[in-house]
Structures are given as structure tokens and as C-alpha cells.
Amino acid sequence: EVQLQASGGGLVQPGGSLRLSCTCSGFVFGDYGISWFRQAPGKEREWVSGISPSDGTTRYALPVKGRFTISTDNAKNTVYLQMNSLKLEDTAVYYCAAGSLRVIHAIMVASNAMFREEEYDYWGQGTLVTVSS
């Protein structure tokens, strides 16, 4: 059974930090690209960051570039999203998602395919991040 278990969300003040985790099972971790998406209240879900675990290529959406860092622990089949300098507008439910060859290629060449939800095969359940003073 394929599972993506997202965790690490919570309440944090503006300027604070959180680290999200996405633990994957049921598929070959290195054969999939992993991305984080988020959905803020009243808004559509948007792509945040992606990584190709096999070669370490990373990509970021402009609103989070320089503040968020995506990484993997391949031995633990886990993807992390370190979020620093959090802003009110980062408040959202964060989802991790896994996609196979098309997503890996998209992340490696930075093509728009990595933004498209339909390219992803598996999704986690989401973890809520609330940035509030």
C-alpha cells in the first residue's frame, strides 16, 4: 500500500520556523519526484517546492525561494521542508505528492509539468501550518 505521511505542521509566529516531514512507503523512493503543495483558505492549491531524490535537484516557487529548503533522507524515504522566516501568507494546509518519470524530468529541467497536480500519482493527507501573532 502506497502511503505519504505528512507531519510537522503547527502554529508559529511570523518570522518563526517549522520543519515538515513526508515519510513515503509502498513505492521505490528514488524512482519518484516529490513536491510540496499548499492550499490557503479560500485559494487554489499551489506548488511550493520539488526535489528529485535520485540526484538532489531542487526547485522552489518564487514566494518561498530563499526561505524554504527541501531535502531528503533517502535512507528513511523521507522528504523535509524546512520553512524559515515564515509569513502570515504562508498559512495553509501543506501536502506532499509523488510523481514518477514525468515529474522527475520536470524538476530536473524546471518545466511547468512539476506545477500540475495531475502529474502526481500519490498524495499525502496534508498538515496545517498556521502563521499568526
Side-chain angles (χ1 to χ4, degrees):
E1 180 186 6
V2 172
Q3 285 191 335
L4 281 76
Q5 185 69 38
S7 62
L11 175 64
V12 63
Q13 292 186 339
S17 298
L18 279 176
R19 188 178 79 159
L20 306 183
S21 300
C22 176
T23 301
C24 306
S25 61
F27 60 93
V28 180
F29 188 66
D31 288 349
Y32 284 76
I34 310 293
S35 285
W36 287 95
F37 288 76
R38 68 184 180 184
Q39 187 166 22
K43 295 188 176 181
E44 292 186 353
R45 190 155 54 184
E46 63 178 358
W47 179 87
V48 174
S49 180
I51 189 166
S52 170
S54 59
D55 73 341
T57 302
T58 59
R59 303 292 179 192
Y60 298 94
L62 285 178
V64 308
K65 198 168 187 179
R67 300 188 297 121
F68 291 11
T69 302
I70 191 170
S71 62
T72 65
D73 183 335
N74 289 358
K76 296 182 178 180
N77 288 356
T78 299
V79 178
Y80 302 101
L81 187 68
Q82 177 67 42
M83 306 186 295
N84 298 330
S85 303
L86 282 161
K87 304 177 180 180
L88 296 175
E89 52 264 39
D90 293 319
T91 294
V93 177
Y94 285 72
Y95 300 88
C96 55
S100 58
L101 291 177
R102 283 176 60 85
V103 169
I104 291 176
H105 181 260
I107 291 172
M108 291 178 71
V109 301
S111 81
N112 289 343
M114 64 184 174
F115 306 146
R116 294 197 290 261
E117 295 181 30
E118 60 268 28
E119 299 292 346
Y120 292 82
D121 303 297
Y122 308 118
W123 289 81
Q125 83 287 2
T127 185
L128 176 62
V129 173
T130 303
V131 184
S132 174
S133 55

